Amino acid sequence: MIDRRKFIQWAGASGIAFSSVGWSLLARADSKKKNSTKTGTSTGVPANTGIKGRVVVIGGGMAGATVAKYLRLWGGTGVAVTLIERDSAYTSNIMSNLVLNGSRTIGSLQYGYGNLSSRYGVKVVQGEVLTIDPVGKKVVLAGGTSHAYDRLVIAPGVDFDILPGLESSAAQAKVPHAWKAGPQTTALRNMITAMPNGGVFVMSIPAKPYRCPPGPYERACVVADWLKTNRPGSKVIVLDANPGITAEVNAFTDAFYNVHADVIEYQPGVTITSVDATTMTVDTSIGNIRANVLNLIPPHRAGKVISANGLTNTADGRWTKVDVLSYESTTAPGIHVIGDASATTQPKAGHIANQEAKVCADAILRLLSGLALDPSPHTNSACYSPITATTASWLTANYRYDAATASMVPVPASSGEAAARSTKNFDEMGKWFAALMGDTFA
Ligand SMILES: Cc1cc2nc3c(=O)[nH]c(=O)nc-3n(C[C@H](O)[C@H](O)[C@H](O)COP(=O)(O)OP(=O)(O)OC[C@H]3O[C@@H](n4cnc5c(N)ncnc54)[C@H](O)[C@@H]3O)c2cc1C
């Protein structure tokens, strides 16, 4: 177990802990005296590091926005970076559970792409990539325009399976998963506030791997806490496909069996067979359960652009396995996959997506420069989990590259969870979030 002070040093308000990545390239650029004092933008993009290349990034979420920014910041103006994002602004999943209890608005979680273009010179294109041509080295958008690349980074996040019974869009609207923040989050909030006293909120958690391991348990706590005060007598039933709590076991065991024991009923090892959105009933391995609000989080897979272009390569056909020294696909040369869509030993989390993006940016710049890859990258992940409207817990994990297994392995001495939930943790959660989002989008 690590102590709180150390955790804050690694992941807290002073900024997101950087792995050693990137600095070696900057040092190399600085050593080229002719370039060391010039900057191409007011925020430190070097005018010329000697590195040249075209990088296209698909997806402007936690991973894609970070890699685009750091490719420019470390690579300089010779590296042309095009970021292609479907939406005009990004809505953060992180903190979106706090929309459900009314302590945040969905608008407060939105981030534009203006900084990436004006401060770092990233070319931001709004559009959806449909086709990837690895031979012609170009991507094609829904409207037919294409963008050529020397290296491609794909960071599309996840897509969701359709649960049996929820095939129609009308049924899906009645049972929002809200595991991608946006309109579904607002819809779920409205459903919760429309619940009667003594109502039943049923949620499900898919089998691992899914995005944000503590997130569903955090949601159960936030909703239970709100219902306790505002809809007395209500219940939260948690149907977990996993055999037990998958993250922050101490915090959530305390939350489920102590803090919210009067509201939360936790059922591990449950399989969902079908859903009836008309009767608001879910058929499961432990029987039929009827709810006022159904919030079922389906199993995930890499964002569709990956499967549609034949880029999944794991045994289950859902993710892209990558070399974690560069995040290059193990089967598609020149194509890097970062964030939730890649299969690594690290959690699918926004903080890790930011870290993977930096390792990837560093690796691409080295590849464009003909340098060897950094042989020992480090990454870290942090996550704060609200347990009530004023208290939170946290979890952190540090990873190092293990050459024997060619994977990222946790560093036990600097990984662990908070000793107890507290209001101080809750306050620090806001600082951590601001630092992470600033590092990604500002
Ligand atoms: C409720 C909740 C709470 C969470 N809390 C935390 C937390 O406390 N800490 C933490 O670290 N993580 C947390 N997470 C997880 C975190 O949000 C994800 O792990 C993170 O967003 C993954 O980043 P990404 O870049 O891979 O995907 P995303 O952030 O989802 O970004 C993917 C982007 O790609 C775009 N895109 C997809 N396909 C295309 C295409 N074909 N063309 C163009 N654009 C495309 C999408 O529009 C999207 O903007 C939470 C998640 C949820 C749901």
Side-chain angles (χ1 to χ4, degrees):
M1 179 78 65
I2 59 171
D3 67 27
R4 193 189 57 80
R5 192 179 51 80
K6 276 200 189 124
F7 171 66
I8 295 300
Q9 278 171 3
W10 283 316
S14 60
I16 302 308
F18 288 79
S19 60
S20 59
V21 300
W23 301 118
S24 52
L25 278 160
L26 272 186
R28 179 175 172 270
D30 282 348
S31 73
K32 294 186 165 192
K33 287 225 165 56
K34 64 185 167 78
N35 301 319
S36 63
T37 54
K38 285 186 185 169
T39 56
T41 73
S42 58
T43 47
V45 173
N48 185 358
T49 60
I51 307 172
K52 280 195 169 47
R54 295 164 305 173
V55 184
V56 167
V57 180
I58 303 174
M62 299 304 296
T66 308
V67 79
K69 169 177 164 178
Y70 279 89
L71 277 165
R72 292 281 299 180
L73 206 48
W74 291 339
T77 53
V79 183
V81 179
T82 303
L83 174 67
I84 304 171
E85 165 57 46
R86 196 161 42 197
D87 297 328
S88 58
Y90 178 70
T91 305
S92 170
N93 301 305
I94 307 177
M95 298 291 144
S96 66
N97 281 333
L98 291 180
V99 174
L100 303 181
N101 69 0
S103 62
R104 278 215 177 236
T105 61
I106 202 79
S108 76
L109 299 177
Q110 276 160 355
Y111 295 82
Y113 295 102
N115 289 333
L116 291 183
S117 52
S118 65
R119 296 185 176 173
Y120 306 103
V122 173
K123 181 178 176 193
V124 179
V125 174
Q126 190 181 348
E128 176 166 16
V129 174
L130 296 183
T131 309
I132 295 166
D133 172 358
V135 179
K137 291 199 161 192
K138 61 178 185 192
V139 302
V140 185
L141 273 62
T145 51
S146 64
H147 295 266
Y149 64 81
D150 299 312
R151 292 259 156 198
L152 175 65
V153 183
I154 317 181
V158 297
D159 269 330
F160 301 91
D161 288 1
I162 292 173
L163 294 173
L166 296 184
E167 289 78 10
S168 75
S169 52
Q172 286 167 26
K174 285 186 178 166
V175 186
H177 53 71
W179 215 240
K180 173 171 171 41
Q184 285 202 12
T185 315
T186 307
L188 186 59
R189 160 76 180 154
N190 293 339
M191 288 175 183
I192 293 168
T193 55
M195 274 175 70
N197 291 347
V200 178
F201 177 93
V202 173
M203 63 175 289
S204 70
I205 305 172
K208 290 197 296 183
Y210 58 88
R211 70 168 20 161
C212 193
Y217 307 102
E218 164 190 302
R219 175 173 288 178
C221 291
V222 167
V223 173
D225 190 59
W226 189 86
L227 291 175
K228 202 184 290 186
T229 312
N230 297 284
R231 299 292 182 271
S234 294
K235 235 170 133 175
V236 171
I237 300 176
V238 182
L239 306 174
D240 193 344
N242 299 286
I245 295 169
T246 63
E248 288 183 66
V249 176
N250 294 340
F252 292 119
T253 301
D254 179 51
F256 289 4
Y257 298 104
N258 179 24
V259 185
H260 299 306
D262 49 340
V263 185
I264 294 180
E265 181 186 316
Y266 176 64
Q267 298 282 358
V270 177
T271 310
I272 292 175
T273 324
S274 65
V275 189
D276 185 336
T278 310
T279 59
M280 294 297 277
T281 307
V282 55
D283 190 14
T284 76
S285 53
I286 56 166
N288 279 320
I289 304 168
R290 199 164 180 158
N292 296 88
V293 176
L294 272 179
N295 172 221
L296 307 178
I297 305 170
H300 305 2
R301 53 182 66 246
K304 193 171 152 203
V305 69
I306 299 240
S307 51
N309 287 283
L311 292 168
T312 57
N313 60 9
T314 53
D316 63 7
R318 289 177 180 267
W319 312 103
T320 306
K321 199 165 184 306
V322 292
D323 171 0
V324 286
L325 290 182
S326 62
Y327 291 85
E328 189 166 5
S329 161
T330 54
T331 46
I335 297 181
H336 303 250
V337 178
I338 53 174
D340 287 355
S342 65
T344 77
T345 50
Q346 300 158 115
K348 297 190 184 301
H351 191 136
I352 272 288
N354 169 285
Q355 295 279 294
E356 290 181 357
K358 289 174 187 165
V359 177
C360 179
D362 178 73
I364 287 176
L365 296 175
R366 286 167 187 264
L367 289 164
L368 290 174
S369 323
L371 293 177
L373 297 175
D374 177 351
S376 55
H378 284 248
T379 57
N380 66 63
S381 176
C383 189
Y384 281 86
S385 302
I387 304 293
T388 67
T390 54
T391 62
S393 178
W394 54 252
L395 167 74
T396 189
N398 280 267
Y399 295 86
R400 66 168 177 82
Y401 183 71
D402 176 49
T405 55
S407 68
M408 300 300 287
V409 295
V411 181
S414 54
S415 302
E417 64 173 291
R421 69 193 170 93
S422 71
T423 50
K424 194 165 187 350
N425 291 343
F426 196 92
D427 291 344
E428 283 163 355
M429 175 172 73
K431 293 176 190 159
W432 162 79
F433 178 61
L436 176 63
M437 300 315 279
D439 189 52
T440 304
F441 289 98

